Amino acid sequence: FTDSTLPASALELASRLHTSKQNVPHYYLTIDLTMDSLMELRSSLNSTMKLDETDGGITVNDLLMKAAAAAMKTVPAANASWMDSFVRVYDSVDINVVVGNGSSLYAPVIRDVGRKGLKAVSDDVASATSVVEGEEGGDPTTVPGFGDVGTFTMVNLGMFGVKSCAPIIREPQACALALGVIENRIVPNDDESEQIYKESVMMTATLSCDHRVVDGAVGAQWLSAFKNHVENPVTLLL
């Protein structure tokens, strides 16, 4: 066998997740999202911006982060923490976005996503990603605020072909959202046409909730709001 030494940051993350899984009464809600309109909006936004070769523009993940923040505005009870004798609801939506893999797994926090524009969110995510990938040099754990815990966590495993995932909640957060692969699926055709089925771009999203803070009805309301913003992405520009 082979023993691998883990960095202090990986050991700390493992300890936090182990404690969270033991202490937090998790439950999971899953929903399918129609992505056609969101993909069209992304293409339209990027085509209007003068992007250089190093700027990837607005990503799907950026739009999904804004949709999550917008859903928090609709259902603020999900943007909260269990504080033993009371529940704390936050005014700002600070999202930890999971990047990297293995011992190089980090979840930098993107602050105040709800009040920022899409481009500002995109720039913050790109900056955090460049730190993780070593483009700016140095150890990511030494960057001020890089290891902070926000109010919500998002992880996208679609790049690995994973359809769905039930993430572990990071205390003291009450929710975590996992996003699956974007794929073409054959779905019932709701349009008035002779075609019974149509091809649509779809994604599966799974929300993990702390039942002490977010009960089933609130969790379902949040997912419904998230789905509405994803499938009507023009609301993200308001």
Side-chain angles (χ1 to χ4, degrees):
F1 58 86
T2 302
D3 294 331
S4 300
T5 302
L6 297 176
S9 58
L11 292 173
E12 181 182 359
L13 177 60
S15 177
R16 285 184 179 182
L17 293 178
H18 177 256
T19 302
S20 291
K21 189 63 175 176
Q22 285 184 318
N23 294 342
V24 176
H26 289 62
Y27 74 92
Y28 312 97
L29 300 171
T30 300
I31 199 167
D32 288 328
L33 308 169
T34 302
M35 302 288 290
D36 299 272
S37 296
L38 186 139
M39 301 295 283
E40 291 174 4
L41 176 63
R42 175 185 179 248
S43 178
S44 177
L45 290 174
N46 286 337
S47 66
T48 60
M49 295 189 297
K50 296 181 179 179
L51 303 175
D52 55 39
E53 295 180 356
T54 61
D55 190 348
I58 305 296
T59 68
V60 171
N61 223 41
D62 299 334
L63 288 161
L64 292 171
M65 287 178 66
K66 280 294 295 182
M72 288 298 186
K73 184 177 181 179
T74 305
V75 188
N79 193 44
S81 293
W82 176 257
M83 307 298 290
D84 290 330
S85 60
F86 60 92
V87 172
R88 174 174 294 164
V89 179
Y90 300 99
D91 298 326
S92 174
V93 182
D94 304 325
I95 299 180
N96 289 102
V97 54
V98 179
V99 293
N101 58 75
S103 61
S104 299
L105 186 68
Y106 300 96
V109 62
I110 309 301
R111 296 287 182 187
D112 207 8
V113 176
R115 296 188 181 97
K116 289 179 178 177
L118 274 169
K119 189 63 173 67
V121 171
S122 179
D123 290 342
D124 286 353
V125 174
S127 178
T129 302
S130 67
V131 171
V132 172
E133 294 177 349
E135 295 177 12
E136 298 184 2
D139 183 356
T141 60
T142 64
V143 178
F146 196 82
D148 292 353
V149 178
T151 64
F152 185 70
T153 292
M154 290 181 64
V155 54
N156 193 330
L157 298 176
M159 66 188 75
F160 302 108
V162 174
K163 185 173 182 179
S164 65
C165 166
I168 299 174
I169 297 169
R170 300 180 66 193
E171 290 185 297
Q173 297 175 3
C175 295
L177 182 70
L179 305 166
V181 65
I182 297 173
E183 60 185 359
N184 292 332
R185 302 180 194 171
I186 303 300
V187 297
N189 190 0
D190 296 330
D191 300 332
E192 294 181 1
S193 67
E194 296 180 358
Q195 299 295 325
I196 301 176
Y197 299 100
K198 65 178 180 180
E199 186 176 65
S200 188
V201 182
M202 303 289 292
M203 169 188 277
T204 298
T206 300
L207 182 70
S208 298
C209 302
D210 181 343
H211 209 299
R212 298 171 300 181
V213 182
V214 179
D215 63 25
V218 173
Q221 289 169 6
W222 188 92
L223 265 186
S224 177
F226 178 66
K227 179 181 176 70
N228 179 64
H229 288 298
V230 170
E231 297 183 352
N232 301 278
V234 69
T235 59
L236 305 179
L237 305 178
L238 300 177

